[in-house]
Structures are given as structure tokens and as C-alpha cells.
Amino acid sequence: MRLKTIAANWKMNNDEKETTDLLSELLIHIPSGAQKIILAPSFVHLNTALQATYNSAIEVAAQNMHHKVSGAYTGEVSIKMLKSIGVQNVILGHSERRTLFNETDDVIFEKVKLALEFGIKVIFCFGESLEERESNNHFKTIEKQLSKLLDLSTNDWEKIYLAYEPVWAIGTGKTASPEQAQEMHAYIRKILADKYGEELSEDVSILYGGSVKPNNAKELFSQPDVDGGLIGGASLVVGDFLDIVNAV
Ligand code: 13P
């Protein structure tokens, strides 16, 4: 049985005090047990988040990492650094990394392999642009973005969350309808089933991301193949995020 997962991607928001305040509010109010909660602050605040969530079921994710373990890469953060402070998850392949920082499927896959090698769970993001959807190429895009991951072993998949985030829905207030989300999630699960078999495909959590808000979360999460969400803007507002967590 897949546990519903709600992950907060705080992106490049909040200073130290805002992060601490948000963490303490969430820790007081998040109910324990029914869902898996993952919080992704900036690199600067990972330690603060790890300390705040120590002894709780809440996990922490980094929002990115470099594709090499170490070296002369000024300004970058490596998986070894993340591992050494106890980070449990890393978000990879986010559309903002793909479009604003030119990350290719190849580089993202290098990162995925490295994270898995270090035993860190991966939240792998992918999704089509508006143009791709309108030209009816969204399934093809998704297949391409997912294709390298199909080289991974069965064991690797125990450490992967998929996060379908249609680019046209990110930060736009335009959410995929529950039917659109379900259709794509079922398609993704079928790709996994065809490659690895039904059992593995039923075990992989597929999250939806893109303008999830308190007023649409319940309907999205009640779709059979939507196993929770990756939340951007609404995860910065305590009340909204708690409503989304409680919509599961
Ligand atoms: P929004 O919820 O702000 O649309 O962001 C989604 C997202 O990019 C999560 O990774």
C-alpha cells in the first residue's frame, strides 16, 4: 500500500527567521502518521530543518545537488555534503532547473544515479510544457523524460518518488484537472508496469505538482493513481499547507 506523501518545495523563499517560524508552526500542527511529509528548504536552511524535525516522522529534502561527488565547482553542493548532514531526500529534475538552469535529461540522470548510490531518496520531477500539451505531445514528452530511469534496477525504485508537474500548472494558478492528473499518472504507472511488472508499478508513489491549493487538493488526491502532491506556493502559508496535508 502506498502511503500518501505531501512534499513542500519552498524554492528560493524565506530567510532564517521565516524558516524557523514556519517549521515550528508545522511541527505543532501536522498530524502524525496518516501521511508522509517531506520539507524542502533552501540549502542554507537544511540543517535548521533537520534539527527541527529530528525525532519526528517528517523528512527533509534538498532542492538540488551537483552531478559530481566533489571537486572544483564553485558554488555547488554535493550529495556527499547532503548525506553527511543527514538529508534523506533530494528533488531532481524540477522544471525550473530544466528551463532556467538548462539541466538536460542526461545531467539529471547522472544526479539520480549518484543520489541512489549514496542511499538518498529521489523526488524525480518531470512534466510537459503548455505547447507540448496543446500539440498533443504530452505523453511523448513524459515518456522521453522518464526513459533513462527505466535503466534503473528494481531495488533502485524503492528510493524513487515520481512527481508529475505539468509546467503550465507550476506557479500559474492553473491546475491540471483531477481527470488530467489521473490520466497521466495512470499512463506513467503503465510505463513502469510494462518495464518492471505490475507489482513494482503499484509500489511507486506518483505525486502531482502544479498549483495544488486547499480548494483542489482533496479532489486531486482522491484519484486512484495520485499518491499525494509536491506543493510550491501554498506550502509557504501555514494554514494552506495544513489544509492540503489534511485533504489526504
Ligand atoms: P506551485 O505549487 O507554486 O505551482 O509549485 C509547484 C512546484 O513547482 C513544486 O515543485
Side-chain angles (χ1 to χ4, degrees):
M1 252 275 288
R2 304 183 297 268
L3 195 63
K4 295 270 186 198
T5 300
I6 308 293
N9 179 3
W10 292 342
K11 307 191 180 183
M12 197 178 75
N13 292 295
N14 288 347
D15 62 18
E16 179 69 21
K17 171 150 188 343
E18 289 161 335
T19 303
T20 315
D21 289 350
L22 184 52
L23 282 164
S24 35
E25 285 289 326
L26 294 179
L27 278 150
I28 294 169
H29 293 111
I30 284 178
S32 62
Q35 324 81 343
K36 172 127 217 120
I37 308 288
I38 303 173
L39 305 176
S42 73
F43 287 130
V44 172
H45 300 120
L46 282 170
N47 244 326
T48 305
L50 284 163
Q51 279 165 27
T53 55
Y54 191 74
N55 270 340
S56 82
I58 298 173
E59 291 188 7
V60 171
Q63 296 174 16
N64 186 30
M65 57 178 253
H66 195 262
H67 59 283
K68 293 277 194 316
V69 178
S70 62
Y73 302 103
T74 301
E76 292 295 324
V77 172
S78 82
I79 187 69
K80 197 170 164 208
M81 297 169 188
L82 298 177
K83 174 90 181 173
S84 68
I85 61 167
V87 170
Q88 304 99 335
N89 306 272
V90 60
I91 297 175
L92 295 175
H94 193 280
S95 81
E96 286 146 20
R97 301 293 323 166
R98 292 175 188 264
T99 56
L100 304 174
F101 300 94
N102 304 318
E103 289 195 11
T104 61
D105 287 337
D106 284 338
V107 165
I108 296 164
F109 189 54
E110 288 306 305
K111 297 184 183 197
V112 170
K113 285 190 292 186
L114 206 52
L116 295 171
E117 216 176 279
F118 275 74
I120 304 285
K121 284 172 277 181
V122 172
I123 302 171
F124 180 83
C125 304
F126 59 125
E128 81 283 1
S129 65
L130 184 59
E131 199 189 341
E132 286 159 340
R133 178 157 284 260
E134 285 179 341
S135 58
N136 213 21
N137 281 318
H138 45 304
F139 292 116
K140 222 190 282 168
T141 301
I142 262 44
E143 262 176 62
K144 183 175 170 293
Q145 289 173 327
L146 205 52
S147 63
K148 290 197 190 307
L149 265 67
L150 302 181
D151 289 340
L152 296 174
S153 74
T154 319
N155 284 350
D156 288 333
W157 280 94
E158 287 172 17
K159 291 205 170 315
I160 296 181
Y161 297 89
L162 295 179
Y164 169 59
E165 299 204 303
V167 179
W168 48 272
I170 296 177
T172 59
K174 234 197 237 175
T175 323
S177 68
E179 295 74 25
Q180 284 173 320
Q182 169 56 27
E183 181 187 40
M184 186 55 90
H185 284 222
Y187 187 78
I188 294 164
R189 207 176 297 288
K190 170 88 170 48
I191 294 176
L192 294 178
D194 288 347
K195 169 75 191 190
Y196 295 99
E198 193 87 3
E199 202 180 322
L200 181 142
S201 80
E202 286 299 326
D203 284 345
V204 175
S205 286
I206 309 175
L207 314 183
Y208 168 80
S211 296
V212 177
K213 306 287 177 202
N215 65 2
N216 57 31
K218 201 171 189 66
E219 233 192 316
L220 284 162
F221 300 160
S222 61
Q223 302 303 308
D225 287 293
V226 177
D227 304 314
L230 180 54
I231 323 297
S235 71
L236 296 163
V237 181
V238 177
D240 287 358
F241 188 63
L242 291 172
D243 284 349
I244 292 171
V245 167
N246 289 321
V248 165

